[in-house]
Amino acid sequence: MVVVSKPAGVSTIPYDESDVDTLDARVRAWLERRRLSPRGSRPNLGVVHRLDKETTGLVVFTRTWLAKEGLTSQFRQHTVHRRYLALAHQVVPAGTLRSFLVEDRGDGLRGSARGKSPKRAADGREAITHVDPLEALAGATLIACRLETGRTHQIRIHLSESGHPLVGERVYIRRWGGTVIEAPRLMLHAAELGFLHPPPSAKCAGSSRCPTT
């Protein structure tokens, strides 16, 4: 596996043909320069999770199929430890944000299901974010967010819907009427990433006969 600290402004993987300077391309080039793959062959690199283009922090890539199978299983079972640091508007209280996220909350954006029983699978996918305020700032709070699930834009949506959009947020801020703190990018950083290494294969996961570390 390869764990990388992603800078801001770089996509994890390409979204279209014009997006060529991506994190996975940079990692492949690094592996080639270090001769960590057979000469003349494209370095094997598996993508198991992503960060938004503006978000900084830790991303893990896999180098073998078994590693990808095992690590993907850990992400799917929500056993991977992920802790983010962020700046959010106003005074943010400690607590757990829980909802069922859908592709369209009614205004064309991802968001939490409204008006129906959240227990229905059709309402969306469960998302759980644990929020811990670390330091009060002028008009904002430095917070830590621990993900129990890993849905697309989960932290951004949960903080925005709770009335505390992230500083630098430009999408999930339409319904917020507070004073906006200007920032050059989204203030979100993936600070900690923890997983079982070496990861057990998906077939082995959960079996009492599998080796443990």
Side-chain angles (χ1 to χ4, degrees):
M1 290 177 285
V2 183
V3 179
V4 186
S5 180
K6 190 184 89 64
V10 178
S11 301
T12 305
I13 60 174
Y15 289 97
D16 53 48
E17 295 181 355
S18 64
D19 198 3
V20 293
D21 184 25
T22 58
L23 188 65
D24 69 326
R26 292 186 181 188
V27 174
R28 290 182 197 277
W30 184 87
L31 293 171
E32 289 177 345
R33 289 196 301 271
R34 299 303 188 280
R35 297 182 180 178
L36 296 177
S37 60
R39 180 171 296 183
S41 65
R42 188 168 183 261
N44 186 33
L45 203 64
V47 179
V48 292
H49 73 126
R50 310 172 189 176
L51 293 180
D52 290 345
K53 188 172 185 176
E54 292 186 342
T55 303
T56 61
L58 300 177
V59 178
V60 59
F61 295 97
T62 57
R63 297 294 317 282
T64 68
W65 174 253
L66 283 178
K68 183 175 183 179
E69 191 178 43
L71 198 53
T72 297
S73 177
Q74 291 184 58
F75 273 97
R76 186 182 301 115
Q77 295 174 22
H78 309 307
T79 59
V80 176
H81 168 77
R82 281 173 287 179
R83 183 173 182 266
Y84 290 72
L85 297 178
L87 290 177
H89 284 87
Q90 299 185 340
V91 179
V92 182
T96 296
L97 304 175
R98 184 192 305 262
S99 69
F100 284 74
L101 299 184
V102 293
E103 293 286 336
D104 187 344
R105 64 186 182 185
D107 61 356
L109 298 179
R110 295 177 184 272
S112 298
R114 305 290 185 186
K116 297 180 180 180
S117 170
K119 294 183 180 180
R120 291 180 53 190
D123 289 341
R125 305 178 69 189
E126 186 177 28
I128 304 172
T129 306
H130 303 285
V131 179
D132 181 24
L134 302 178
E135 183 178 354
L137 305 170
T141 306
L142 173 64
I143 62 175
C145 296
R146 183 174 62 82
L147 296 185
E148 199 167 310
T149 57
R151 311 306 182 193
T152 301
H153 297 172
Q154 176 176 319
I155 293 175
R156 297 169 62 184
I157 293 170
H158 273 170
L159 268 296
S160 178
E161 292 182 346
S162 69
H164 305 283
L166 296 185
V167 174
E169 179 64 72
R170 295 177 179 83
V171 178
Y172 302 102
I173 201 168
R174 295 180 181 176
R175 301 175 181 176
W176 194 65
T179 301
V180 176
I181 299 175
E182 297 296 333
R185 67 168 183 88
L186 189 71
M187 296 290 102
L188 182 61
H189 176 73
E192 297 177 8
L193 180 65
F195 49 84
L196 184 64
H197 177 59
S201 69
K203 294 180 180 179
C204 185
S207 171
S208 60
R209 294 174 293 177
C210 296
T212 58
T213 57

